[in-house]
């Protein structure tokens, strides 16, 4: 077994050299697109695009696809922006996707500030940069005079986050007549991220409502916040196995109206993340039991709403796609960081399509209005993406 | 020219010029050169974005602009470094036509740009626009390319997100509505048709720009309109709706300074044109007040609206642009 994989490794390495030697040239040449890429980044990022309200951003992307001369440049009924760059043979179809929605509301000032070394603003890295890279990709390939054999399907995916639950990408994959051979998810940051498998996930809300006619003389009559606190205490007591790795993320909590009014409502947002589908089910059932228990003790109305589920899966560490991507990263001095994903990758897994998610540059303060990305590493990120595309296109990432 | 017919023929919306390929083709057919001037004073936060967007969209993708230049009033922040890092030509205002000295004010930068830049058409865009977009340039330049009789195109911004009524008030900022529009109504009624006479974004033909004087301070826009109107008539002026402009809001006290400067310029123009005569010598001190520990204090502020002569009167300019 060891011999076979070593033999395969060598065969790939030999055939791979040409791509690896092209990478520094690609990185250098992509600098010529600095203004075009940054202009796309700013114009995309300054269009607010909360989940379910991505229309204006999608329209912009669609116009860019039309200007780039992509085939079938359009938006589908789920609000995804799509375009196809036809390959010379069209034997494979590579889907490159970036989500277009953000966590930021329409009302937030979406101004992006551009400095020589960095760009700052809400959603600039997550995921305006990913989208900007996808819309700039046809120009990059033209600049590099690279003609792929495979068809390149470019997509700005809507309804990905929160309650969107990857609806846009799932819709496309379940309704398209184009057989997608490989998927690449593009995220603004971090550069070095390599996700090729997805952990299982349940995402939901626990909503606690105290009825208006509540009997305040009863036990626990301190309102919805104290009740939800009791739910949290009991969730914390759920025993989680060390293997398969599992965790419960309590992501956000809201409740109450004022200093001096007993809260009549409270909302807890959570995610269960686990490498095992079965463990996920068990934790979910335990949470249901906790809610039923606390509800009966306090008389409060508590509901559990799970609106997004992902099953664990993906490609193996040794899969040629994962291996080729790691080698491309190493050649560009990028430190690969395996990071299980709950994002676009999960949709590909649902359709048994080998896929990876990669980042383009470094950044910080993700999902805050002061989110920031560093400009210079973007060109390394572009070389990385182009290298992976070439590797897929030339057949170095296929198990067959 | 009646206001109503001017509004119909010379008021545009930027969306009418969305076809940039056609616009560039027409520009090339006429062999026009277009320069963008961004006057700056401590604009490091917004200048990078403006340059990247205009360079990418209107030089690389659609070659509408031939040059982008920042004319800076000695900013103390990183404005010049940022602008130059993103590939703009950067000039210090005081280094241009050095012989004529240095005056402080945005109008000074605009005036010196006429000498420094090469374009047949000059577009001026303020550097503090937060929601910058290529329309800020092509919306202003297009009427000059398509309509030879138009010489001066002014921006206005009038696209509310929602309106519950069929008609709604449409106007400029506070200084426009309480100072400029009443003054225009009194002395130049046709100029009231300009929705935002004080907007800092406009495109002008060189042969007009080099023949008008330039107040160096707050009054430059008002003075331009009066001079262009007086010399070439309302038909030479147009305005384009650029939708929304997001920028810093100014305090009322700052608007007072602005109004004071504009009023000085306005009175000088009407006197020069013989509309008013025998004006007394006017004070150049604006007196504002503040309360400190229940005591009222006067804050006197010297605001002198100096003026640069028409550029055509400068020998160095005539030599550089011999055709002029």
């Amino acid at each position: 077994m060891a011999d076979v994989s070593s033999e395969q490794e060598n065969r790939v390495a030999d055939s791979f050299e040409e791509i690896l030697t092209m990478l520094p040239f690609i990185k250098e040449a992509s600098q010529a697109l600095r203004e075009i890429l940054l202009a796309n980044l700013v114009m995309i990022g300054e269009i607010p695009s909360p989940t379910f309200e991505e229309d204006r951003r999608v329209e912009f992307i669609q116009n860019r696809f039309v200007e780039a001369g992509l085939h079938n440049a359009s938006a589908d009924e789920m609000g995804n922006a799509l375009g196809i760059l036809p390959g010379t043979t069209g034997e494979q179809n590579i889907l490159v996707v970036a989500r277009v929605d953000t966590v930021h509301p329409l009302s937030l000032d979406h101004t992006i500030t551009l400095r020589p070394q960095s760009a700052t603003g809400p959603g600039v890295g997550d995921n305006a940069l990913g989208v900007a890279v996808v819309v700039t990709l046809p120009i990059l390939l033209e600049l590099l005079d690279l003609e792929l054999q495979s068809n390149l399907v470019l997509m700005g995916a809507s309804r990905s986050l929160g309650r969107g639950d990857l609806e846009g990408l799932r819709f496309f994959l379940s309704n398209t007549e184009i057989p997608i051979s490989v998927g690449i998810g593009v995220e603004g940051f971090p550069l070095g991220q390599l996700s090729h498998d997805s952990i299982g996930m349940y995402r939901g809300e626990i909503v606690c409502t105290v009825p208006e006619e509540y009997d305040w003389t009863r036990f626990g009559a301190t309102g919805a916040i104290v009740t939800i606190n009791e739910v949290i205490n009991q969730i914390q007591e759920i025993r989680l196995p060390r293997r398969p790795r599992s965790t419960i993320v309590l992501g956000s909590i809201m409740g109450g109206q004022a200093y001096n009014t007993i809260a009549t409502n409270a909302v807890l947002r959570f995610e269960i993340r686990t490498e095992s589908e079965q463990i996920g089910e068990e934790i979910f059932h335990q949470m249901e039991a906790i809610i039923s228990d606390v509800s009966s003790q306090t008389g409060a109305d508590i509901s559990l709403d799970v609106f997004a589920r992902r099953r664990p899966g993906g490609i193996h560490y040794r899969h040629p796609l994962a291996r080729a991507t790691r080698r491309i990263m190493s050649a560009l001095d990028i430190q690969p960081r395996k990071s299980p994903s709950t994002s676009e990758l999960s949709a590909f897994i649902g359709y048994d399509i080998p896929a990876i998610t990669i980042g383009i540059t470094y950044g910080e303060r993700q999902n805050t209005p002061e989110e920031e990305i560093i400009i210079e590493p973007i060109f390394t990120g572009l070389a990385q993406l182009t290298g992976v595309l070439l590797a897929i296109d030339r057949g170095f990432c296929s198990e067959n | 020219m009646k206001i109503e017919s001017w509004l119909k023929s010379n008021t545009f919306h930027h969306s009418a010029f969305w076809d940039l390929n056609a616009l560039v083709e027409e520009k090339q057919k006429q062999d026009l050169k277009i320069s963008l001037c961004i006057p700056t004073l401590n604009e490091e936060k917004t200048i990078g974005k403006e340059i990247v967007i205009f360079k990418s969209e209107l030089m690389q993708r659609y070659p509408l602009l031939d040059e982008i230049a920042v004319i800076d009033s000695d900013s103390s922040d990183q404005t010049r470094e940022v602008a130059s890092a993103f590939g703009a030509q950067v000039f210090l205002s005081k280094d241009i036509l050095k012989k004529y000295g240095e005056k402080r004010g945005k109008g000074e930068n605009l005036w010196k740009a006429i000498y420094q830049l090469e374009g047949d058409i000059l577009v001026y865009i303020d550097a503090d626009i937060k929601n910058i977009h290529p329309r800020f340039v092509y919306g202003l330049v297009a009427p000059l390319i398509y309509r030879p009789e138009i010489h001066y195109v002014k921006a206005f911004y009038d696209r509310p997100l929602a309106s519950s009524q069929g008609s709604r008030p449409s106007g400029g900022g506070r200084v426009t509505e309480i100072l400029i529009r009443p003054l225009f109504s009194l002395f130049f009624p046709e100029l009231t048709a300009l929705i935002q006479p004080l907007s800092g974004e406009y495109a002008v033909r060189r042969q007009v720009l080099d023949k008008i004087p330039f107040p160096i301070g707050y009054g430059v826009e008002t003075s331009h309109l009066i001079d262009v109107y007086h010399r070439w008539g309302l038909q030479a002026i147009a305005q384009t709706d650029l939708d929304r402009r997001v920028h810093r809001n100014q305090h009322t006290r700052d608007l007072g300074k602005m109004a004071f400067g504009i009023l000085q310029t306005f009175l000088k123009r009407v006197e020069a044109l013989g509309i008013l005569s025998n004006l007394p010598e006017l004070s150049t001190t604006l007196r504002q007040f503040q309360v400190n520990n229940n005591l009222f204090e006067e804050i006197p502020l010297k605001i002198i609206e100096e003026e640069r002569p028409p550029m055509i009167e400068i020998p160095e300019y005539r030599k550089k642009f011999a055709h002029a």
Side-chain angles (χ1 to χ4, degrees), chain B residues 224-240:
Chain B
H224 278 181
L225 289 177
I226 294 172
D227 287 329
V228 174
Y229 172 68
H230 182 254
R231 194 154 171 182
W232 289 274
L234 192 61
Q235 68 276 7
I237 302 173
Q239 59 184 350
T240 303

Side-chain angles (χ1 to χ4, degrees), chain A residues 32 34-40 42-43 46 60 64 67-68 109 111-118 139 375, chain B residues 44-49 51-53 55-57 60-62 81-82 85-87 130-134 246:
Chain A
R34 192 182 180 90
E35 281 85 18
I36 288 181
L37 181 78
L38 293 176
N40 279 332
V42 169
M43 288 191 281
E46 292 196 341
F60 179 91
R64 282 302 204 230
E67 286 171 346
D109 179 357
T111 298
I112 290 177
T113 299
L114 206 52
R115 294 188 179 85
Q117 287 80 32
S118 64
I139 307 172
I375 291 172
Chain B
E44 65 177 7
K45 279 196 168 178
T46 44
I47 191 67
K49 191 166 72 175
I51 289 162
V52 158
I53 286 185
K55 200 171 165 199
S56 155
E57 302 305 297
Q60 295 175 345
R61 296 171 79 101
Y62 301 97
E81 289 78 358
V82 173
F86 286 113
K130 288 170 91 180
N131 61 327
I132 199 71
H133 185 275
V246 181

Side-chain angles (χ1 to χ4, degrees), chain A residues 53 129 139 170 174 199 201 206 213 238 257 332 393:
Chain A
E53 292 175 280
L129 178 59
I139 307 172
R170 285 185 209 276
S174 71
I199 50 176
M201 186 270 281
I206 295 170
E213 67 278 15
I238 294 175
Q257 291 83 30
L332 286 163
D393 186 59

Side-chain angles (χ1 to χ4, degrees), chain A residues 170-371:
Chain A
R170 285 185 209 276
F171 174 84
F172 174 74
L173 293 175
S174 71
N175 291 285
T176 182
E177 289 174 2
I178 304 167
I180 300 298
S181 324
V182 183
I184 303 177
V186 183
E187 304 216 338
F189 66 105
L191 181 64
Q193 171 188 349
L194 173 57
S195 306
H196 51 76
D197 55 7
S198 174
I199 50 176
M201 186 270 281
Y202 288 73
R203 176 182 298 155
E205 279 180 359
I206 295 170
V207 179
C208 173
T209 314
V210 176
E212 293 291 331
E213 67 278 15
Y214 191 76
D215 177 4
W216 297 104
T217 60
R218 284 182 57 183
F219 166 75
T222 39
I225 290 176
V226 174
T227 306
I228 208 108
N229 183 51
E230 179 57 26
V231 172
I232 292 170
N233 288 340
Q234 294 201 29
I235 288 174
Q236 294 287 75
E237 283 170 19
I238 294 175
R239 293 181 66 143
L240 300 173
R242 295 184 67 171
R243 288 280 186 275
R245 284 179 299 181
S246 306
T247 182
I248 303 169
V249 179
L250 303 181
S252 123
I253 186 159
M254 295 167 290
Q257 291 83 30
Y259 291 102
N260 59 352
T261 312
I262 291 173
T264 55
N265 62 72
V267 179
L268 172 69
R269 290 178 174 164
F270 68 91
E271 266 187 18
I272 303 168
R273 296 177 174 197
T274 173
E275 292 172 341
S276 154
E277 202 167 2
Q278 190 195 338
I279 299 285
E281 280 291 316
E282 284 172 20
I283 296 172
F284 175 65
H285 290 313
Q286 286 186 66
M287 284 176 80
E288 278 186 321
I290 288 169
I291 280 157
S292 166
D293 185 35
V294 176
S295 183
S296 66
Q297 279 181 37
T298 61
D301 181 10
I302 311 176
S303 64
L304 172 63
D305 177 18
V306 169
F307 49 80
R309 291 178 196 228
R310 312 259 194 282
R311 69 176 171 86
I315 57 173
H316 194 267
Y317 181 80
R318 301 189 75 86
H319 187 284
L321 174 59
R323 214 164 46 187
T325 307
R326 280 197 303 276
R327 294 195 58 202
I328 286 165
M329 286 179 159
S330 298
L332 286 163
D333 290 328
I334 305 168
Q335 184 64 44
R337 208 175 65 188
K338 183 180 175 298
S339 129
S341 165
T342 57
S343 63
E344 283 68 27
L345 204 58
S346 314
F348 287 111
I349 290 165
Y351 292 87
D352 291 325
I353 297 169
I356 54 166
T357 299
I358 51 177
I360 298 295
T361 187
Y362 303 110
E364 57 186 9
R365 300 191 289 275
Q366 188 171 13
N367 293 337
T368 71
E370 293 300 314
E371 191 169 300

